[in-house]
Each structure stands twice: as C-alpha cells, then as structure tokens.
Amino acid sequence: MGGTRLSSRFFLGTGRFPSPAVMQQALRASGAEVITFAVRRVNLEQLEDDSILQHLPEEKRIYLPNTSGAGNADEAVRIARLARAAGLGSWIKVEISADSRTLLPDPLETLRATERLVAEGFTVLPYTSDDPILCRRLAEAGAAAVMPGGAPIGTGLGILNPYNLGLIAEESPVPVIVDAGIGSAKDAAQAMELGASAVLANTPVARAADPVAMAEAMALAIRAGRLARLSGRIPALPYASASSTEAGALYPRQADRSGAWRL
C-alpha cells in the first residue's frame, strides 16, 4: 500500500491509553507497523520532545497522522501539509467530521480533500462512511486505501452494516481498512471475514481492562478472520444438514403418509 509492503494487517491508534508504558506494551503485543495519531496532539515544532512520539517504540513504524478536528477540505489539507513539513512523512489519514455528536465523516469534503492531497503526492487513506459508491469515488480519486467505519467512532457497536462492508470489499480496487466502531476481537474477525484487508482500532484496545491482552487478542482475531476468508466458509442453510449420510445406517428411517419419519 502506497508503495510499502506491510506484514501486519492491524493498524493501531495511540490515544486514550492509561499511560505511555501501557501504550508501548500494547503496540508490541499488537504487532502493528502502522500507527495513527491526531496531528493536533503533536508538537510539530519539537518532534523529538513530543509527548506522544517520544514514547513510541524504536522499532520501524509507519506514521499515519490524521486530520482529526478538521471541519472541511481546506483545513484537512492544511493539517496534512504541516505534518509532512514537520517530518512525519507523506501518509495521511483524512478525517473530516460533519457532526460533533456522531463524528460521522463529511462525504463531500472528504472526497475534495482526497483529490487535492493525492495531487500533492500524499499517500491518502480517507476515513469514510460505509457507502460503496463513495468508497468507489475515493478510490478513483487516487486514495491508497479506503477506510469505512463499522459504526461511529468510539462507540464499540461493532459492524452495523455487514452487507455494505462486504460489498465495498468485493468491489474496491484498493485495500479496505475497517476503521471505527470496533468493540472486540469478534468484530475484528468479522471485518476480515467480510473481505477487509486490515482493521484499525484504538479505543477498544486503549480502554480495555487489559489493553495489552486486548491488543494481542485483536491481532490474533485479524489473522484468524483473514485465514477464514481465504479458506471459504460453508453456505448458510435454512435447515439442518447431517454430517453423515443415511447410507449404511443400522436403523434406516422411512417416511409415513403424513410425512413424519419412523423407524
């Protein structure tokens, strides 16, 4: 993605952890290579002393700063430029909220920002709603991946519309990263079984009773969900289907005139 080969399908946010030490342990347990954080929370003038970045482990990581707090495309583009100029790289997660209560993304401003930032050479990963048509438009605009939410940010409601996410994953020409709404490892596994390429999570890990254990659980669930997707699940049936046939049964059954089975 964006010219970079990743070995982990787990993207991890860095906010809301109880302490920097717990965040470091959770990052290591997650195996995540891509780390996201809000540019507005970073001291761009002194990155080496920043309260967030100085606590990140020294292992090779890819920074994915986000434009959280932006209300329109102009603000998002300005934040992205500041992040790149400060040395945070060219990857950017476009996040433009249209509503302060739900924090749902503004589709029109997100598309505008994506088009402009792609033209400026950024690797753009836009956070968007689970709208298959909008995700298609974002991919056509040059997004390196699309990041539809399973539910509103921080709610932990899980995947509210699996049909739409499955359709997005089926049709998208770029990787699909389910972002927002994940509540547990179960949701992460479901996202991967639906065809997602990766999962981004923050709150369900940071606010768990044991963030380090939850980070590991999420990583395992993502791997399991991916393997299950590749394995091909059985079709869902309306009635029971015996695992063994009637052939060779010691006591074969016959149906009477009413249709009931008898020995």
Side-chain angles (χ1 to χ4, degrees):
M1 185 167 58
T4 301
R5 185 175 182 83
L6 303 174
S7 59
S8 172
R9 296 179 182 273
F10 191 11
F11 292 22
L12 191 62
T14 56
R16 311 188 73 180
F17 281 92
S19 71
V22 173
M23 178 186 71
Q24 290 179 342
Q25 294 175 54
L27 281 172
R28 292 192 176 97
S30 72
E33 297 169 280
V34 180
I35 303 171
T36 187
F37 48 82
V39 175
R40 62 179 177 171
R41 294 193 293 115
V42 173
N43 182 353
L44 297 178
E45 296 181 356
Q46 294 181 309
L47 290 182
E48 67 279 0
D49 297 323
D50 179 75
S51 59
I52 298 174
L53 299 183
Q54 69 174 333
H55 293 296
L56 293 178
E58 296 181 356
E59 291 92 340
K60 183 180 178 181
R61 308 282 181 181
I62 295 175
Y63 288 162
L64 179 60
N66 67 63
T67 66
S68 172
N72 55 52
D74 288 338
E75 293 176 3
V77 169
R78 189 178 306 118
I79 291 171
R81 290 170 177 168
L82 287 172
R84 183 162 66 177
L88 292 176
S90 294
W91 285 42
I92 191 73
K93 176 188 171 187
V94 171
E95 190 173 324
I96 304 174
S97 297
D99 183 276
S100 60
R101 184 169 65 92
T102 64
L103 297 179
L104 291 173
D106 185 316
L108 298 180
E109 293 299 311
T110 298
L111 181 56
R112 292 187 183 111
T114 297
E115 291 171 338
R116 291 171 59 181
L117 290 170
V118 167
E120 294 185 20
F122 284 89
T123 297
V124 184
L125 288 76
Y127 165 59
T128 179
S129 58
D130 57 355
D131 181 341
I133 303 304
L134 177 57
C135 287
R136 182 193 305 168
R137 294 287 182 261
L138 289 166
E140 292 171 350
V146 292
M147 306 180 75
I153 292 174
T155 61
L157 291 172
I159 298 175
L160 297 181
N161 196 337
Y163 174 80
N164 271 27
L165 283 180
L167 192 59
I168 291 168
E170 179 184 335
E171 297 182 345
S172 180
V174 298
V176 175
I177 305 169
V178 174
D179 175 20
I182 298 296
S184 70
K186 169 182 70 70
D187 303 326
Q190 182 185 15
M192 298 303 294
E193 287 197 58
L194 287 170
S197 301
V199 170
L200 189 154
N202 186 177
T203 303
V205 175
R207 290 303 191 191
D210 187 337
V212 179
M214 183 60 79
E216 184 178 2
M218 288 281 192
L220 292 171
I222 289 168
R223 291 175 58 192
R226 175 66 176 175
L227 185 58
R229 171 72 178 188
L230 296 177
S231 300
R233 64 156 290 156
I234 63 171
L237 301 175
Y239 303 108
S241 176
S243 58
S244 57
T245 67
E246 287 287 330
L250 293 177
Y251 305 102
R253 297 185 299 170
Q254 296 178 343
D256 59 25
R257 293 181 179 178
S258 67
W261 287 98
R262 59 183 176 79
L263 292 177

